[in-house]
Amino acid sequence: MRKDVRILLVGEPKVGKTSLIMSLVSEEFPDEVPLRAEEITIPADVTPERVPTHIVDYSEAEQSDEQLYQEISKANVICIVYSVNNKKSIEKVTSHWIPLINDRTDKDSRVPLILVGNKSDLVEHSSMETILPIMNQFQDIETCVECSAKNLKNISELFYYAQKAVLHPTGPLYCPEEKELKSSCIKALTRIFKVSDLDNDGILNDNELNFFQRTCFNTPLAPQALEDVKNVVRRNMNDGVKDNGLTLKGFLFLHTLFIQRGRHETTWTVLRRFGYDDDLELTQEYLFPIIKIPPDCTTELNHNAYLFLQSVFDKHDKDRDCALSPEEVKDLFKVFPYMPWGPDVNNTVCTNDQGWITYQGYLSQWTLTTYLDVQRSLEYLGYLGYSIIYEQESQAAAITVTRNKRIDLQKKQTQRSVFRCNVLGARGSGKSGFLQAFLGRNLQRQRRIREDHKSFYAISTTYVYGQEKYLLLHEMMPDFDFLSEAELACDVVCLVYDVNNPRSFEYCAKVYKQYFIDSKTPCVVIAAKSDLHEVRQHYSLSPHEFCRKHKLHPPQPFTCNTTEALNKDIYTRLTTMAMYPHARLRCMCACNRCTYCLCQNLLKLELLRSIKAQLRRVVYNRHMAQADLKNSTFWLRASVGATVIAVLGFAMYRALLKQR
């Protein structure tokens, strides 16, 4: 809503423009009236709409035409004042003032007009019969008010209507000729209906209507008031109420009725609560709330955001198969002005055998969008009405900005849930197959993917020591001479080569030596297409020798050319390395530098340290709580308890070692 309102009064000399302003301010008719009143500002706290209002007078005797044109261009609403006992001043409304104002304003942004018939105290009849044809002729005229500056009749009402014409205009909502809502208004209200229809059954039941009422007007409807509303709809249309709930047709009818009865503010309150501006477009402030993201920090969805997205999925998964069919996806995005997901999304996340996005894939795509483009994620959540349904100030409440990665490295722990792996390799080395295998697709399924539907991303969940994490794989273009620092930023790197191509590994070696040899980012070499015959690589060192020299993992064999379930251990290892990139303890297996094993060893030692710390706290707390008990029985019990805890902790440690 506008932050202030500027009202301009124009009209023929002696019709009472200045008297109206002075009567409003002083609440009495002035004995002496100047040629022109100075601009006055009415504070927000004394106006019905709580908006500062500036009232500007025009005097032909004191102002030039150029000054008049400037005031017209600055005005939010213009009151054309005429005298009800002066036919000439009424004629001038159509012959002079309306054409003049229209010539000085853009056709697409005409200011609303209020016709003001002053000096009603001097006549016994009304001028409305003369004015109504004028109102029907010009769509810019919001309303007509007859008043009297002398006896203060309708003075406050005049300026209230002027204010209302700016803050709650009729033009964007309603077409008086057709006597129906405009298409842009129907579109906005339809989105509002779908967002408010929490169970997606096409009906607003009593709970949903009460939630809508409380959201927009801060108060629920009494049961009788709810019935009265539905009865009004029933009397006027057959399909406005269904199963004792309000249908979309009934919802639109109610707003049409509000507008026809002059209650535009009701519809505008609803529209603005759901983020719409005066042009019935969602505002930039609503769609893109400010969120600060420091360098080396990432963005993730928080717990409430996932709960909200889960509820959105559930209400559109009508057949309860834990997947969204193309029709269900289309229905979900009906509240969007465009389709945000293309066919590549189906090759970015997990799908079922029919190619439909599963629940896990749905959440993965939202996680991907939030990580790569948080502004786009905020926009999408805005269309779905997150801040309204969860009663938050904005969608920014759904986002967690992770702490700086350097702090994670210093503390050797992280609270992040999403980790990025850049996948590099020469053309044809098997990068795309590596991505698709992460989504459970073997080579046979991958061959059915259309070229224009391919994706350079793949994201899904992995479990690291019982914790669910997202691993985001990004296939990089092979022109490594043009890789920027931003493109290389990630948590772990995969260097993929084709064991059957003798020139494939050379690319991996060059990339590693150019970008990662001095980097703190962990790297893994993937020996792709391991089901084929392995040939000697045309490089000075074999892949195994290269990895040994640079203290890397040995090349990890990988193939997706199988009919069996794909082994996903490598993806768990990548996630583990991303979480603990600087684990440097002695390895527990024969490879001597296996980061996966190093991380296991690190966690076990951390667990043991945690158990010892808990033991110290138990003894210390027991000592502090019962410091006055110095008898031998107390210390015997404390010693036994501490011994039991130590034995259990050592047993857990031994069990973890045996697992490896």
Side-chain angles (χ1 to χ4, degrees):
M1 196 158 69
R2 290 183 181 273
K3 295 181 179 179
D4 60 1
V5 174
R6 190 174 182 86
I7 304 171
L8 173 64
L9 274 67
V10 300
E12 295 302 295
K14 307 295 183 182
V15 294
K17 302 184 295 297
T18 307
S19 299
L20 289 170
I21 297 173
M22 297 186 73
S23 294
L24 174 72
V25 174
S26 63
E27 296 185 348
E28 62 180 9
F29 186 68
D31 295 330
E32 294 184 9
V33 181
L35 290 175
R36 177 174 176 266
E38 294 295 325
E39 178 180 330
I40 66 167
T41 298
I42 302 175
D45 56 355
V46 297
T47 63
E49 298 291 345
R50 300 292 176 181
V51 175
T53 302
H54 312 283
I55 301 176
V56 182
D57 192 11
Y58 165 70
S59 172
E60 186 179 299
E62 289 197 354
Q63 293 176 284
S64 65
D65 289 345
E66 188 59 36
Q67 288 174 309
L68 172 61
Y69 302 153
Q70 290 178 2
E71 290 296 348
I72 289 174
S73 66
K74 292 190 291 184
N76 302 128
V77 58
I78 298 175
C79 296
I80 304 176
V81 185
Y82 64 91
S83 177
V84 294
N85 64 343
N86 185 337
K87 289 185 178 181
K88 185 177 180 181
S89 68
I90 298 176
E91 292 171 0
K92 282 284 189 175
V93 170
T94 55
S95 64
H96 175 69
W97 289 108
I98 293 179
L100 173 67
I101 293 167
N102 288 342
D103 288 342
R104 295 291 163 180
T105 54
D106 295 332
K107 188 175 182 180
D108 296 331
S109 57
R110 294 276 173 83
V111 294
L113 305 177
I114 306 289
L115 299 187
V116 181
N118 193 23
K119 304 185 181 181
S120 63
D121 59 293
L122 299 179
V123 296
E124 295 182 357
H125 62 275
S126 171
S127 63
M128 293 306 293
E129 289 185 7
T130 308
I131 295 302
L132 280 175
I134 299 175
M135 293 179 65
N136 293 330
Q137 182 181 354
F138 297 96
Q139 295 183 20
D140 300 330
I141 299 175
E142 284 284 324
T143 189
C144 175
V145 183
E146 286 191 348
C147 56
S148 170
K150 188 171 184 178
N151 60 20
L152 307 183
K153 177 186 176 183
N154 287 341
I155 301 297
S156 298
E157 288 79 359
L158 156 64
F159 291 101
Y160 168 70
Y161 286 129
Q163 206 180 44
K164 185 177 173 181
V166 177
L167 303 177
H168 312 300
T170 309
L173 306 181
Y174 187 72
C175 181
E177 290 84 5
E178 303 292 336
K179 295 184 179 180
E180 59 184 27
L181 298 175
K182 289 187 174 179
S183 59
S184 56
C185 182
I186 292 175
K187 183 179 177 182
L189 290 174
T190 300
R191 170 184 166 265
I192 291 170
F193 180 90
K194 285 189 68 65
V195 169
S196 304
D197 182 12
L198 302 178
D199 56 9
N200 198 35
D201 63 351
I203 299 170
L204 295 184
N205 58 39
D206 286 358
N207 289 333
E208 291 165 342
L209 280 171
N210 262 318
F211 177 80
F212 170 82
Q213 179 75 12
R214 191 177 69 252
T215 298
C216 296
F217 305 103
N218 297 319
T219 179
L221 283 172
Q224 187 56 50
L226 271 174
E227 285 305 312
D228 292 343
V229 167
K230 287 184 279 191
N231 286 334
V232 169
V233 177
R234 285 191 187 100
R235 286 196 297 268
N236 287 274
M237 57 191 322
N238 295 326
D239 50 357
V241 176
K242 182 181 178 182
D243 297 334
N244 203 35
L246 204 62
T247 66
L248 175 60
K249 286 185 177 180
F251 184 74
L252 295 175
F253 167 78
L254 276 180
H255 285 282
T256 305
L257 198 62
F258 292 147
I259 295 167
Q260 289 173 343
R261 294 182 178 179
R263 291 175 55 191
H264 315 90
E265 64 273 15
T266 301
T267 300
W268 275 115
T269 300
V270 171
L271 290 165
R272 290 191 174 112
R273 178 66 184 88
F274 279 78
Y276 289 93
D277 61 15
D278 289 350
D279 298 319
L280 296 186
E281 297 289 343
L282 290 171
T283 66
Q284 293 295 298
E285 293 80 8
Y286 173 79
L287 289 177
F288 305 104
I290 296 173
I291 181 170
K292 294 182 180 179
I293 306 169
D296 290 332
C297 298
T298 59
T299 47
E300 301 177 359
L301 294 166
N302 60 30
H303 180 65
N304 282 340
Y306 281 116
L307 288 178
F308 170 75
L309 292 171
Q310 177 183 343
S311 68
V312 172
F313 182 94
D314 289 342
K315 86 177 200 177
H316 290 91
D317 181 21
K318 295 182 178 178
D319 54 9
R320 297 291 181 265
D321 63 347
C322 290
L324 294 178
S325 68
E327 292 75 20
E328 289 169 341
V329 171
K330 187 176 179 181
D331 183 50
L332 189 155
F333 291 124
K334 276 185 179 179
V335 294
F336 285 56
Y338 56 87
M339 176 58 72
W341 290 359
D344 60 312
V345 172
N346 293 60
N347 299 312
T348 305
V349 299
C350 293
T351 58
N352 63 13
D353 294 337
Q354 295 170 284
W356 298 353
I357 295 174
T358 62
Y359 172 69
Q360 179 187 339
Y362 164 84
L363 292 182
S364 297
Q365 179 61 27
W366 277 99
T367 303
L368 172 71
T369 305
T370 305
Y371 184 92
L372 297 179
D373 188 352
V374 68
Q375 291 297 320
R376 184 63 60 88
S377 187
L378 290 171
E379 179 189 3
Y380 291 173
L381 288 170
Y383 291 136
L384 292 172
Y386 171 82
S387 61
I388 295 157
I389 293 175
Y390 268 55
E391 301 181 53
Q392 300 288 340
E393 186 175 342
S394 72
Q395 296 88 263
I399 306 299
T400 295
V401 179
T402 64
R403 70 184 179 188
N404 192 296
K405 190 175 178 180
R406 289 195 299 273
I407 299 175
D408 284 352
L409 295 176
Q410 291 169 4
K411 293 182 176 292
K412 297 182 180 180
Q413 60 180 359
T414 181
Q415 284 84 42
R416 292 167 56 198
S417 298
V418 186
F419 299 90
R420 177 169 177 162
C421 173
N422 284 347
V423 181
L424 297 97
R427 293 186 187 278
S429 59
K431 300 187 298 296
S432 298
F434 185 73
L435 265 67
Q436 291 301 311
F438 184 36
L439 306 177
R441 297 173 187 139
N442 59 21
L443 187 62
Q444 185 178 0
R445 282 191 63 183
Q446 293 176 30
R447 285 171 176 163
R448 297 201 295 265
I449 299 174
R450 289 174 45 176
E451 189 67 31
D452 56 337
H453 291 178
K454 286 186 176 180
S455 173
F456 291 104
Y457 292 95
I459 183 170
S460 188
T461 55
T462 61
Y463 285 87
V464 178
Y465 306 113
Q467 300 177 64
E468 184 182 59
K469 303 293 180 181
Y470 282 94
L471 179 64
L472 164 58
L473 302 179
H474 179 204
E475 179 184 344
M476 307 291 289
M477 298 303 290
D479 296 328
F480 65 85
D481 290 333
F482 301 99
L483 294 176
S484 67
E485 186 175 341
E487 289 177 316
L488 292 168
C490 61
D491 302 298
V492 63
V493 174
C494 266
L495 301 173
V496 181
Y497 76 97
D498 179 357
V499 299
N500 193 240
N501 183 346
R503 299 192 178 277
S504 186
F505 180 73
E506 183 180 8
Y507 175 94
C508 297
K510 287 182 177 179
V511 168
Y512 179 80
K513 291 169 74 174
Q514 181 168 342
Y515 293 107
F516 302 109
I517 193 168
D518 296 321
S519 169
K520 295 180 180 179
T521 305
C523 297
V524 177
V525 177
I526 303 295
K529 306 181 184 180
S530 59
D531 59 300
L532 302 178
H533 174 66
E534 184 174 359
V535 299
R536 183 178 180 278
Q537 295 293 320
H538 292 178
Y539 188 68
S540 57
L541 297 174
S542 72
H544 283 78
E545 291 170 340
F546 183 89
C547 291
R548 191 180 304 115
K549 177 182 177 181
H550 295 285
K551 299 180 180 179
L552 298 174
H553 250 302
Q556 301 294 300
F558 174 82
T559 181
C560 55
N561 186 15
T562 177
T563 57
E564 300 176 1
L566 292 166
N567 191 325
K568 295 189 178 182
D569 286 350
I570 183 60
Y571 304 106
T572 303
R573 293 187 182 187
L574 290 171
T575 311
T576 306
M577 294 172 68
M579 290 176 66
Y580 306 101
H582 293 303
R584 289 293 179 263
L585 301 179
R586 177 177 175 81
C587 185
M588 297 175 62
C589 70
C591 74
N592 294 324
R593 292 300 300 176
C594 173
T595 309
Y596 180 63
C597 294
L598 298 180
C599 295
Q600 272 196 331
N601 197 13
L602 174 66
L603 286 183
K604 289 169 183 176
L605 290 179
E606 286 181 348
L607 176 61
L608 184 58
R609 282 197 294 269
S610 175
I611 292 171
K612 289 180 179 178
Q614 290 179 29
L615 174 60
R616 286 195 296 270
R617 284 198 296 272
V618 168
V619 175
Y620 178 76
N621 291 339
R622 183 73 62 86
H623 173 67
M624 294 300 293
Q626 303 181 15
D628 57 325
L629 299 179
K630 297 183 178 180
N631 58 72
S632 58
T633 304
F634 164 73
W635 290 111
L636 179 62
R637 287 200 303 267
S639 300
V640 171
T643 304
V644 170
I645 292 175
V647 170
L648 288 174
F650 185 72
M652 290 175 62
Y653 176 64
R654 291 289 301 273
L656 288 170
L657 289 178
K658 286 182 179 180
Q659 286 180 7
R660 183 59 197 169

